Amino acid sequence: MMEWETVIGLEIHAQLATKSKIFSAAATAYGAEPNTQACAIDLGMPGVLPVLNREAVRMAVMLGLAIGANIARRSVFARKNYFYPDLPKGYQISQYELPVVGKGELLIDLDDGSSKVIGITRAHLEEDAGKSLHEDFQGLSGIDLNRAGTPLLEIVSEPDLRSAKEAVAYMKKLHQMVVYLGICDGNMQEGSFRCDANVSVRPKGQSSFGTRAEIKNLNSFRFVERAIEFEIERQIDRLESGGKIVQETRLYDPDKGETRPMRSKEEANDYRYFPDPDLLPLVLDEAFIDAARACLPELPDIKKQRFVAHYGLSNYDAGVLTAARELSDYYEAVVAAMGGEPKLCANWVMGDFSAFLNKDSKDLADSPVSAVQLAGLLRRIQDRTISGKIAKDVFEALWTGEGDTDAIIEKRGLRQITDMSAIEKVIDEVMAANPDQLIQYRAGKDKLFAFFVGQVMKVSKGKANPQQVNDLLAEKLKG
Amino acid sequence: MNASAPATMHEQTIAQLSAGLAAGQFSSEELTRAFLARIERDNPQLNAFITITAELALAQARAADEHRRRNQAGPLTGIPIAHKDIFCTNGVRTSCGSRMLDRFIAPYDATVVERLHAAGAVLLGKTNMDEFAMGSSNETSYYGPVRNPWDVNAVPGGSSGGSAAAIAARLTPGATGTDTGGSIRQPAALCGITGIKPTYGRVSRWGMIAYASSLDQAGPMARTAEDCALLLAAMAGFDPRDSTSVDQPVPDYAAGLNQPLAGLKIGLPKEYFGEGLDSAVAEVVTEAIAEYRRLGAEMVEISLPNSQLAIPVYYVVAPAECSSNLARFDGVRYGHRCENPKDLLDLYTRSRAEGFGAEVQRRILIGTFVLSTGYYDAYYLKAQQIRRLISDDFRRAFEQVDVIAGPTSPTVAFNLGEKVDDPITMYLSDIYTIAVNLAGLPGLSLLAGFVGQRPVGLQLIGNYFAEERLLNVAHRYQQVTDWHDRVPSAFA
């Protein structure tokens, strides 16, 4: 049986987080009433002209710098001509022959712990179209042009990806990057980050590519993975049963879990690209590029390495903490407020803190527990005022707004017992109350040690210092 | 009417009217009423206006008179003008000479409209034009052809034929036009007035309905260069809404009008005096050149070797851009929509087939063809390369001379209907003007004499941003000649 190799390239559309549109001053905010965020330019009225949004260019350049790409000192906007009711001018303004961002690359992490460099062919600026609404109009179509003119950065990868998993890893890495850079909100449900996948297969060892199919408009990591996996299987089945792959555009149906060809009419377009005479070539000087460079935050890979080197975290922990810029900032704020204990801080930020955010579906920005508050709690673990176990209850109280750590500890009487004589008194009580277990233990049933620890903790209402309890109990049980 | 207001106000130039208003000889309201009365009387015969804005004009005139009373008047305060119907006017129909926009009212003003309004000019109405500015005779207008005031059997030229005819017939002292391949200069020549197409980027294109964006440029039309200077000073300047407008200060064009011409080097391109030029037109142009010699200018024979390629290049570039620019007229959001479309394709094809006339459809088809896969390199790209050669011809010429002179059009106005079925002959009437647009240079046409009853235009071409020089060169000629004072006898 033949062995097959998959070849995948992704075209990712990232909606840039500018306040206004790429060629007009209309707002880009999501979810407004239809056609309330479309000005004369977005509507394609007669005589109106586009003016390029400087901020969109700055954001494109930031991405280019972050992926080590050539920034074109001169790039050109072209018109892509086709008729559709939600395309008001009858053409989309996009960069065609000369994009603003040239060749770059992105390092992705694979499941086996290795990493791989994925080439990025180019990234170019373009405007989004509006939306056609085919429901609720009794056989007619509605058009919402709020989205028309929203700035997009189309990021095109080389055909370097070899599996659906790699494709998802690449997409996630790029998602992390654009969100880190603050150039895209990354909201996939609202369509701010979506992907077209070019998929082909070839016999292993063959150097030329097979015929590819393009799967359009995938807007979740899960759909990308499933659609590509379905498509790979479809293509292999077809080739193995003696068929051929047709170069075509396909759509993924998430309900049926399959890809289907788009009607050929929808793709039989000759776009008649030509340079847009309403816009001069985009010429960038060094000062502009330097200013964009100055806006770059510490990039995720570098931050992760620093977390490992500087905080002594494991690769895994550093990866989790740097996955999102806000989380890494929060973590560093906790460490700074604590004045150390990076591992303890990491455990709490990744553990209870993240779990509570998840449970309440809260964004980090809306967290009820600030970094300083969390550090206050951890300091009480560090100075042995409370145990790690009690700290979990205190954290929950912090989360629900019961007050600061110290107030909660006082109010609930949770201060840890570290007084040896007090602990010894509790141990004596427990030993006296359980003579049978004591005999069994002394007869060699070591397992009962845990029983005695449990009893001591129970009687002390969890406040006895566990380490001290362990040490003293071991000594006293010996007799 | 005020008893002291002279009955001959319509005979005066903008400069004279401005002085009359300043001296209190008449009010803007009286002046405006006088022109509205002439429009009412003569427009049915000439068809120069598509829309007459009488009430708006009178309101603006009264506002202008009020400004003058408060000593807030500039040179154009209270001067009536007309806009070519290609400029969007907030609240007033902008048809672009097309059925497609027969009922279109823009919710915004073109920059040119806004600036002339801010300068105090009074809007008499919107002038007739070839549909979407595609034509050289004004015969492609949905609203019917305009007649030439010098001979109502003749065309006025195009596409700004309504503006040119209205000025020649003294229905307005000045008007705006647009020029993509000669659409200001050729009708100015055929109607015997003065018109200037500025350097590409000198005047904002915001709100001016696009035909071919890389060639379109707005400019003023009036009887004299002096009047054009006054209008252009108000129209020109950087506009952040137009990325192709140039951020360069606007000179005081009127102040430079009287510079002497002694030592001026005028280039005469041999290609503009060769085959195809009507001999009677050549004689008139030669006489005008003799006049310039008497004014102290020196003639230098030059060559623009790629001139013969200008028309083929233009009829690739302009249709290519227009095929894309006019895609927005799809019957979806505004403009003409066919009755009961059965599906989307039907909506598109019928709305556009009904809304656009034959010449517009022809150019959309040509443009769509030259941009198509497999033809782009052979046509569009090739045309762009030749366009650069044409610009280089001018660049070399301006290393030798200050301005270039020649005929504006190879013939005088032809008869209505004469060339309407022969697009190639029609296109050739722009043979001397088109290269100027392809190079983005400023060009001016002024009346230099007649062949029989029909006017002959002299074209002056300047280097980039040399509008001041062109207006000066035209003005000095008008100081020593009186062609510009001639009035078509039927409209005296």
Side-chain angles (χ1 to χ4, degrees):
Chain A
M1 185 143 157
M2 175 119 39
E3 249 199 284
W4 296 93
E5 182 179 48
T6 306
V7 176
I8 303 162
L10 298 187
E11 291 167 18
I12 287 174
H13 288 90
Q15 180 180 318
L16 296 177
T18 55
K19 289 195 180 68
S20 60
K21 294 188 175 175
I22 185 167
F23 298 118
S24 84
T28 52
Y30 179 83
E33 282 295 297
N35 298 309
T36 56
Q37 291 187 165
C39 70
I41 295 171
D42 309 316
L43 293 171
M45 298 290 276
V48 303
L49 295 167
V51 175
L52 180 59
N53 183 336
R54 192 182 170 86
E55 190 63 6
V57 179
R58 190 181 67 85
M59 290 179 171
V61 170
M62 281 174 69
L63 177 89
L65 294 170
I67 59 169
N70 295 320
I71 306 300
R73 294 326 192 246
R74 182 177 176 280
S75 61
V76 170
F77 286 94
R79 293 184 182 179
K80 178 181 181 179
N81 294 284
Y82 65 97
F83 284 94
Y84 205 69
D86 60 24
L87 187 72
K89 298 186 294 295
Y91 57 84
Q92 178 197 27
I93 304 176
S94 178
Q95 296 192 306
Y96 184 53
E97 284 183 333
L98 298 171
V100 64
V101 175
K103 271 192 191 306
E105 59 186 39
L106 198 66
L107 192 71
I108 63 168
D109 300 317
L110 303 177
D111 285 349
D112 64 3
S114 66
S115 47
K116 179 175 175 181
V117 174
I118 304 300
I120 290 177
T121 315
R122 60 183 282 173
H124 65 254
L125 285 163
E126 62 184 27
E127 58 178 342
D128 208 344
K131 258 189 226 165
S132 294
L133 310 163
H134 300 297
E135 286 152 32
D136 310 328
F137 292 94
Q138 282 99 37
L140 301 174
S141 290
I143 296 166
D144 177 6
L145 295 176
N146 282 353
R147 207 180 61 185
T150 298
L152 300 177
L153 189 62
E154 181 175 333
I155 305 153
V156 182
S157 85
E158 292 285 310
D160 287 350
L161 302 159
R162 291 290 172 269
S163 67
K165 284 212 172 347
E166 284 188 19
V168 171
Y170 167 80
M171 195 175 171
K172 281 187 172 163
K173 194 64 184 277
L174 196 57
H175 184 266
Q176 178 193 36
M177 182 68 89
V178 294
V179 174
Y180 247 82
L181 294 173
I183 64 172
C184 176
D185 69 14
N187 189 324
M188 297 175 75
Q189 270 175 338
E190 291 173 6
S192 298
F193 191 84
R194 52 192 198 261
C195 157
D196 302 338
N198 287 294
V199 180
S200 65
V201 296
R202 61 182 173 189
K204 209 164 183 119
Q206 177 182 308
S207 61
S208 61
F209 294 130
T211 306
R212 68 188 154 86
E214 182 179 15
I215 313 166
K216 282 270 184 202
N217 250 328
L218 298 162
N219 68 347
S220 86
F221 297 125
R222 200 151 29 102
F223 291 171
V224 167
E225 185 164 352
R226 288 185 185 165
I228 292 175
E229 266 165 5
F230 174 89
E231 183 60 22
I232 294 169
E233 208 169 311
R234 183 188 73 86
Q235 293 190 11
I236 293 174
D237 281 354
R238 195 167 180 86
L239 290 167
E240 290 189 339
S241 60
K244 275 193 164 178
I245 304 301
V246 196
Q247 184 167 340
E248 63 185 352
T249 304
R250 299 177 72 89
L251 283 177
Y252 177 66
D253 179 343
D255 296 330
K256 295 194 174 153
E258 61 180 32
T259 66
R260 277 198 305 271
M262 278 173 88
R263 281 179 294 136
S264 58
K265 216 166 113 185
E266 290 172 22
E267 48 171 331
N269 276 316
D270 178 351
Y271 291 120
R272 291 172 283 125
Y273 281 99
F274 74 106
D276 191 331
D278 286 334
L279 291 161
L280 300 172
L282 172 60
V283 175
L284 300 179
D285 58 23
E286 299 313 309
F288 185 88
I289 295 168
D290 288 345
R293 188 176 285 116
C295 296
L296 288 180
E298 185 181 22
L299 297 177
D301 283 346
I302 292 168
K303 183 173 277 189
K304 183 178 161 186
Q305 284 164 19
R306 180 168 64 81
F307 275 27
V308 171
H310 186 249
Y311 296 125
L313 300 179
S314 69
N315 248 323
Y316 176 82
D317 286 359
V320 172
L321 288 171
T322 56
R325 188 168 155 187
E326 290 74 16
L327 191 69
S328 66
D329 289 346
Y330 185 89
Y331 168 72
E332 294 207 88
V334 175
V335 175
M338 267 293 279
E341 296 281 350
K343 182 63 189 163
L344 177 68
C345 296
N347 288 343
W348 275 82
V349 172
M350 294 188 302
D352 290 64
F353 179 73
S354 294
F356 272 71
L357 281 179
N358 261 334
K359 175 172 68 79
D360 290 0
S361 312
K362 272 189 159 50
D363 285 339
L364 199 147
D366 306 323
S367 161
V369 177
S370 71
V372 170
Q373 282 177 306
L374 179 56
L377 172 65
L378 301 187
R379 205 171 296 120
R380 292 298 163 255
I381 300 175
Q382 189 192 27
D383 68 11
R384 299 180 158 203
T385 305
I386 52 174
S387 67
K389 191 161 180 306
I390 294 284
K392 287 177 182 290
D393 299 333
V394 178
F395 181 79
E396 184 164 9
L398 275 177
W399 190 268
T400 51
E402 264 185 49
D404 270 348
T405 297
D406 289 347
I408 295 165
I409 291 171
E410 284 314 313
K411 198 172 76 185
R412 296 191 175 187
L414 297 175
R415 188 171 287 275
Q416 184 165 252
I417 302 166
T418 52
D419 177 349
M420 276 300 209
S421 60
I423 293 172
E424 189 170 3
K425 208 177 129 209
V426 176
I427 292 174
D428 289 344
E429 254 175 61
V430 167
M431 284 166 65
N434 298 285
D436 294 347
Q437 285 84 350
L438 186 59
I439 290 163
Q440 288 173 30
Y441 177 80
R442 285 184 174 159
K445 201 167 178 190
D446 290 349
K447 270 194 212 158
L448 281 170
F449 186 76
F451 165 79
F452 284 103
V453 172
Q455 289 299 307
V456 172
M457 293 311 284
K458 191 173 164 192
V459 171
S460 72
K461 299 196 176 74
K463 292 186 287 183
N465 179 291
Q467 196 56 50
Q468 287 172 287
V469 170
N470 268 338
D471 295 349
L472 195 55
L473 195 58
E475 195 177 306
K476 295 200 68 130
L477 285 177
K478 271 188 243 163
Chain B
M1 190 178 281
N2 184 334
S4 67
T8 56
M9 285 183 289
H10 65 274
E11 291 173 8
Q12 300 182 27
T13 64
I14 291 174
Q16 290 162 342
L17 292 172
S18 185
L21 285 166
Q25 288 168 15
F26 43 82
S27 68
S28 174
E29 187 177 352
E30 288 164 333
L31 184 60
T32 302
R33 282 187 194 282
F35 278 109
L36 287 172
R38 288 183 65 81
I39 292 169
E40 195 181 346
R41 192 190 74 190
D42 293 333
N43 191 56
Q45 188 188 1
L46 292 173
N47 198 27
F49 283 84
I50 292 173
T51 301
I52 299 158
T53 52
E55 275 180 36
L56 176 70
L58 290 171
Q60 290 180 344
R62 284 190 283 268
D65 287 332
E66 186 56 36
H67 278 113
R68 191 170 294 284
R69 267 192 289 281
R70 293 192 198 142
N71 288 321
Q72 295 163 336
L76 295 180
T77 303
I79 299 290
I81 59 159
H83 284 306
K84 184 177 181 179
D85 209 16
I86 200 169
F87 293 100
C88 288
T89 40
N90 192 347
V92 176
R93 172 177 61 175
T94 301
S95 75
C96 221
S98 181
R99 181 183 183 195
M100 183 59 84
L101 294 179
D102 183 40
R103 285 175 299 171
F104 176 70
I105 296 175
Y108 44 85
D109 276 333
T111 300
V112 163
V113 171
E114 199 176 85
R115 290 193 176 187
L116 283 167
H117 177 68
V122 169
L123 181 63
L124 295 170
K126 310 283 297 283
T127 58
N128 203 345
M129 56 182 284
D130 280 298
E131 185 178 11
F132 283 101
M134 300 178 203
S136 308
S137 68
N138 231 294
E139 292 169 293
T140 71
S141 171
Y142 173 62
Y143 301 92
V146 177
R147 307 256 168 183
N148 191 319
W150 295 96
D151 181 343
V152 292
N153 295 314
V155 302
S159 64
S160 312
S163 289
I167 293 162
R170 283 24 177 193
L171 306 189
T172 179
T176 54
T178 62
D179 191 317
T180 305
S183 281
I184 287 175
R185 290 159 290 157
Q186 186 255 21
L190 270 48
C191 287
I193 61 160
T194 306
I196 180 168
K197 178 205 96 76
T199 307
Y200 183 79
R202 178 75 287 188
V203 176
S204 168
R205 294 186 296 115
W206 171 263
M208 183 177 116
I209 298 177
Y211 158 24
S213 313
S214 74
L215 302 164
D216 294 343
Q217 185 59 201
M221 303 170 82
R223 293 214 349 250
T224 64
E226 183 182 22
D227 287 1
C228 286
L230 292 171
L231 292 169
L232 184 59
M235 293 165 71
F238 177 65
D239 180 1
R241 291 174 297 188
D242 175 2
S243 308
T244 62
S245 85
V246 178
D247 195 356
Q248 190 167 310
V250 178
D252 181 353
Y253 296 117
L257 288 172
N258 285 309
Q259 297 169 65
L261 301 189
L264 178 80
K265 283 191 181 152
I266 299 181
L268 304 176
K270 62 179 188 205
E271 293 82 4
Y272 285 24
F273 292 89
E275 200 186 334
L277 177 61
D278 181 274
S279 59
V281 170
E283 269 177 48
V284 171
V285 171
T286 304
E287 179 45 41
I289 287 164
E291 191 64 57
Y292 274 114
R293 273 206 191 85
R294 290 192 282 278
L295 285 165
E298 179 192 330
M299 299 302 146
V300 181
E301 194 191 85
I302 59 166
S303 175
L304 300 169
N306 293 293
S307 292
Q308 83 284 3
L309 297 174
I311 286 185
V313 165
Y314 175 86
Y315 280 100
V316 170
V317 173
E321 292 182 12
C322 108
S323 71
S324 176
N325 282 334
L326 270 59
R328 68 189 60 200
F329 304 108
D330 56 5
V332 173
R333 297 168 315 289
Y334 53 79
H336 179 74
R337 179 188 287 182
C338 66
E339 296 281 345
N340 304 315
K342 68 176 198 300
D343 57 21
L344 183 59
L345 191 65
D346 188 40
L347 169 75
Y348 284 152
T349 51
R350 248 181 335 117
S351 298
R352 288 167 66 80
E354 293 167 5
F356 291 139
E359 183 62 27
V360 171
Q361 291 188 34
R362 180 178 3 251
R363 295 193 195 188
I364 290 173
L365 288 171
I366 294 171
T368 304
F369 175 77
V370 300
L371 289 175
S372 297
T373 304
Y375 299 98
Y376 180 86
D377 288 5
Y379 291 103
Y380 184 79
L381 212 57
K382 193 80 182 167
Q384 292 295 3
Q385 289 161 351
I386 300 171
R387 188 173 175 178
R388 201 164 308 128
L389 297 180
I390 289 169
S391 301
D392 288 345
D393 282 357
F394 281 110
R395 188 180 45 73
R396 274 190 291 274
F398 283 119
E399 286 166 6
Q400 297 175 294
V401 300
D402 302 309
V403 297
I404 293 169
T408 305
S409 190
T411 66
V412 292
F414 41 92
N415 287 336
L416 280 160
E418 189 182 323
K419 297 185 180 177
V420 81
D421 294 324
D422 185 356
I424 302 295
T425 316
M426 183 77 90
Y427 296 169
L428 283 171
S429 75
D430 295 325
I431 190 161
Y432 305 130
T433 50
I434 275 178
V436 177
N437 298 78
L438 292 170
L441 294 164
L444 178 150
S445 179
L446 72 163
L447 175 58
F450 290 84
V451 175
Q453 282 297 304
R454 300 186 184 185
V456 173
L458 174 75
Q459 180 176 222
L460 301 170
I461 302 166
N463 211 337
Y464 297 104
F465 296 100
E467 288 82 6
E468 191 178 8
R469 192 57 160 160
L470 285 184
L471 290 162
N472 156 236
V473 173
H475 178 71
R476 294 296 295 202
Y477 177 86
Q478 289 173 335
Q479 295 301 100
V480 296
T481 57
D482 64 355
W483 301 112
H484 57 282
D485 287 330
R486 305 279 176 98
V487 191
S489 54
F491 302 93

